[in-house]
Amino acid sequence: MNDQLFRSSVSIYQGMAVNFLYMLFRFMTAARYASVWFFSMAIYYMVLCIMRAYLAFGYRRRERKGAFYELQCYRRTAGMLFILNIPMGGMIVLMVQTNSGFSYPGYLIYLSALYTLYMMTLSVINLVRFRKMDSPILSAAKILNFVSAMMSVLGLQTAMITRFSNNGEGYRKMMNAITGGIVFFIVMVTVAVMVVRSSKSKKEMEPNEEIRKQIL
């Protein structure tokens, strides 16, 4: 339990389980309120869950496949995030145009705020911590947590504006457009950084990989 790599590998499955439960919650709310926005969010988290499952499968095979395989998983995750970010941009545009938002009953909004704050803080800390570790798959898993947390921030903002703001629909549209644009931009920058880092690491690994193949 004192092994940081072991705890990190367990966190991949924990994140996948939480993501799966949250995806089911989004599908239920989409069916309950007949909301295209909620359904889009459910699909988004379903894809994130599939990506986490891919990383978990890759992490189990890393010792047999080698470090180059881990790097390939990392790079493929970057590609999948880029593809996922395109419909996510469409979701944000839909949210702004239809003035959609979340509405939490009772005190659930405060619990949601605490959860979002906790997830964002934890994802940033883990993102920095595992950046220094020699495990591209674990780094990719933490990046997925960070992206998921940012989407939670966007959803929380719409809910808080709906509950507490008296500035009208124009204000909510403006804030959703600003925050949605920031989230979209950050994800694109993250993908670009992942591609650059993977390309640099690939060039450094290629000579050693060739030697490993010759030995095998």
Side-chain angles (χ1 to χ4, degrees):
M1 294 304 296
N2 293 325
D3 190 331
Q4 192 172 20
L5 280 174
F6 173 76
R7 296 199 309 269
S8 302
S9 64
V10 172
S11 70
I12 294 180
Y13 298 98
Q14 290 177 337
M16 187 170 58
V18 172
N19 197 151
F20 181 75
L21 294 175
Y22 193 72
M23 176 196 69
L24 293 179
F25 169 73
R26 283 298 170 204
F27 272 117
M28 289 188 293
T29 55
R32 171 67 176 81
Y33 297 103
S35 170
V36 176
W37 165 243
F38 282 2
F39 183 75
S40 299
M41 289 292 293
I43 295 295
Y44 177 82
Y45 281 100
M46 182 181 71
V47 176
L48 284 181
C49 189
I50 294 173
M51 293 171 66
R52 283 193 172 97
Y54 167 73
L55 290 176
F57 178 75
Y59 192 77
R60 294 181 62 181
R61 303 179 64 190
R62 76 191 189 284
E63 293 184 358
R64 181 165 58 90
K65 292 289 187 176
F68 195 75
Y69 173 76
E70 270 205 82
L71 191 61
Q72 286 180 324
C73 292
Y74 182 85
R75 191 177 182 88
R76 288 169 184 166
T77 302
M80 288 186 286
L81 267 180
F82 174 77
I83 295 174
L84 181 62
N85 202 40
I86 296 175
M88 187 184 76
M91 289 163 48
I92 294 172
V93 172
L94 175 66
M95 178 184 65
V96 174
Q97 289 183 344
T98 60
N99 201 25
S100 301
F102 296 93
S103 180
Y104 297 104
Y107 292 99
L108 192 59
I109 189 172
Y110 300 107
L111 295 177
S112 177
L114 289 175
Y115 171 80
T116 302
L117 179 62
Y118 170 77
M119 288 300 298
M120 177 56 74
T121 303
L122 186 64
S123 65
V124 171
I125 292 175
N126 287 336
L127 195 65
V128 175
R129 179 184 300 170
F130 291 102
R131 182 177 179 273
K132 301 177 181 179
M133 298 182 67
D134 190 21
S135 179
I137 289 181
L138 292 180
S139 296
K142 302 311 173 184
I143 289 173
L144 291 184
N145 290 340
F146 177 67
V147 172
S148 178
M150 286 194 298
M151 288 300 293
S152 297
V153 169
L154 179 60
L156 177 63
Q157 174 188 275
T158 63
M160 295 190 72
I161 291 177
T162 301
R163 173 71 69 86
F164 301 111
S165 177
N166 297 318
N167 294 323
E169 295 184 357
Y171 176 76
R172 182 163 67 177
K173 287 184 177 181
M174 180 187 69
M175 292 303 298
N176 287 343
I178 293 174
T179 305
I182 291 174
V183 170
F184 182 85
F185 176 76
I186 289 176
V187 174
M188 293 300 290
V189 171
T190 301
V191 168
V193 172
M194 291 176 71
V195 172
V196 171
R197 286 186 61 195
S198 62
S199 298
K200 182 179 179 181
S201 298
K202 182 180 179 181
K203 292 180 180 178
E204 295 174 353
M205 286 183 180
E206 280 178 347
N208 294 332
E209 184 66 16
E210 290 298 326
I211 294 174
R212 189 182 76 89
K213 289 180 179 179
Q214 292 175 6
I215 294 174
L216 294 176

